[in-house]
Amino acid sequence: MRRRTLLTAAGTAVPASLLLAIDDALALTPAPTGEPTPVDLRLARARHLWDTGRHTSLLAELPRLIGDAHQAARTHTAVDHARLSACYSLATQVLGKIGRYERARLTADRATTYADLSGSPIASAAAARELSIVLRHQDQPAAAQRLVLAALAEVEATGLTTGAQTAAYAQMLCTTAYTAARGGDDTQALAMITEARRAARRLPATAPKDRLFRISPAAVDLYAVGVHWALGDAGAALEAGRHLRPGQFPTPERTSRMHTDLARAWWQYGKPEQTARELLAALRVSPAEVRDRPSIRTIVGSLSTRHPYTPGVRELARALNR
């Protein structure tokens, strides 16, 4: 028998010890590890864990990474503050993914603080995006929308003269569109996703790996799926995703997200077989995208209860109960 405590209240199977270590790191900054590998390379490795859906490994690494990033930021340089902000933003992403929004609010606040110290509009936009997502999940859509609109304006004020700035602009438009959709503002949601599509025409089909906002035209189309789903229009969501293919997304996390977003649209449309098919595809690409996300686990639970004999449903249920 495995003798480890699993934290399952939000429908995930994350070792409680890892979340307690995150709590400790937020209460008292961890001491530097003395690891010789530069923080930027370790941050890149941590992002790879995120990209490949290795949430448990990422959670285990974060306290050490945060401690060393704080040590590096004692230089008070803009780049080190931006890097520290990125560490906290990554922590926010994984905590939000597994439904731990109270902890994610703390990490998002700190990402915002250090992004402001860096003076970088792009770092500030990244932090604002993560905080807005947390606010949205905490039923504060108006505050979330104000935050992303302010960040969007700051990015636009750069003049969008570089690819990184244009990518940040397109990303913030997508985030604004989805936030508006979740708040029921269909006019702004549709206007913003349309503008995001226009901005994305200037972006390459595959974003550079070192770019903070790795968004592409296909990624914007995937956001459109989510916007229409959030507005309750499953038909429009499926139409927006009609041409999406796995090869358009460079990481398992994004590819699996494509499948889960399409699954949500099919579920909203009342098609259990197509829903199960997309969720199985997501499971095979990145199991954590299905196992660790409370909203997706809820769909699998509903499929198991209401459509237990639909092809693929039993396999999904078994995967979640391992």
Side-chain angles (χ1 to χ4, degrees):
M1 180 188 299
R2 293 179 302 169
R3 292 187 176 275
R4 67 173 183 171
T5 302
L6 297 179
L7 199 62
T8 58
T12 63
V14 175
S17 60
L18 295 182
L19 292 174
L20 291 173
I22 294 289
D23 287 343
D24 289 345
L26 294 175
L28 181 65
T29 301
T33 66
E35 184 171 336
T37 306
V39 172
D40 57 345
L41 295 181
R42 291 175 58 201
L43 177 58
R45 287 194 319 223
R47 283 178 173 150
H48 181 69
L49 294 175
W50 164 261
D51 288 338
T52 52
R54 295 160 64 188
H55 300 156
T56 299
S57 297
L58 176 54
L59 287 165
E61 173 61 20
L62 278 170
R64 295 189 294 270
L65 178 59
I66 287 171
D68 289 342
H70 269 281
Q71 176 70 11
R74 289 184 177 181
T75 61
H76 301 294
T77 64
V79 67
D80 284 324
H81 280 136
R83 193 174 290 127
L84 179 54
S85 175
C87 292
Y88 277 115
S89 285
L90 185 58
T92 306
Q93 285 181 294
V94 67
L95 289 168
K97 180 84 78 174
I98 65 174
R100 304 297 168 177
Y101 297 112
E102 290 185 4
R103 290 179 179 89
R105 177 63 183 268
L106 292 174
T107 55
D109 284 338
R110 294 189 187 180
T112 300
T113 296
Y114 292 109
D116 289 344
L117 288 172
S118 78
S120 166
I122 295 179
S124 292
R129 176 177 179 267
E130 298 309 325
L131 180 54
S132 73
I133 292 170
V134 175
L135 289 171
R136 194 173 68 225
H137 282 283
Q138 291 183 326
D139 296 322
Q140 299 180 64
Q145 191 67 332
R146 288 194 300 271
L147 182 65
V148 292
L149 284 172
L152 175 63
E154 288 186 11
V155 172
E156 190 173 17
T158 65
L160 309 182
T161 57
T162 69
Q165 291 168 352
T166 301
Y169 180 65
Q171 177 65 75
M172 295 310 292
L173 284 167
C174 289
T175 302
T176 304
Y178 188 71
T179 302
R182 292 304 300 264
D185 188 345
D186 57 343
T187 300
Q188 186 173 62
L190 296 175
M192 289 294 180
I193 199 63
T194 298
E195 178 61 24
R197 279 175 158 154
R198 280 196 288 264
R201 293 172 190 163
R202 299 169 53 190
L203 299 175
T206 301
K209 290 183 179 180
D210 60 349
R211 186 165 285 174
L212 188 57
F213 291 107
R214 292 176 293 175
I215 195 164
S216 65
V220 174
D221 286 340
L222 182 55
Y223 266 97
V225 173
V227 166
H228 290 294
W229 168 83
L231 292 173
D233 191 342
L238 293 168
E239 177 62 25
R242 186 163 58 94
H243 298 296
L244 294 177
R245 299 292 182 270
Q248 295 172 304
F249 299 93
T251 67
E253 188 271 338
R254 283 292 92 186
T255 303
S256 187
R257 185 59 183 253
M258 179 199 76
H259 288 301
T260 57
D261 280 6
L262 290 172
R264 292 194 306 177
W266 281 117
W267 183 242
Q268 189 179 66
Y269 204 58
K271 299 291 184 179
E273 186 170 348
Q274 290 88 338
T275 302
R277 183 185 65 214
E278 293 291 349
L279 290 179
L280 276 176
L283 183 71
R284 288 162 185 164
V285 173
S286 180
E289 284 297 309
V290 178
R291 293 175 182 164
D292 290 354
R293 291 173 62 192
S295 62
I296 301 304
R297 291 180 68 94
T298 296
I299 293 177
V300 174
S302 296
L303 279 169
S304 299
T305 300
R306 295 160 56 183
H307 306 280
Y309 303 111
T310 295
V313 170
R314 289 183 178 178
E315 183 179 345
L316 285 167
R318 284 195 300 269
L320 263 60
N321 291 323
R322 285 174 187 165

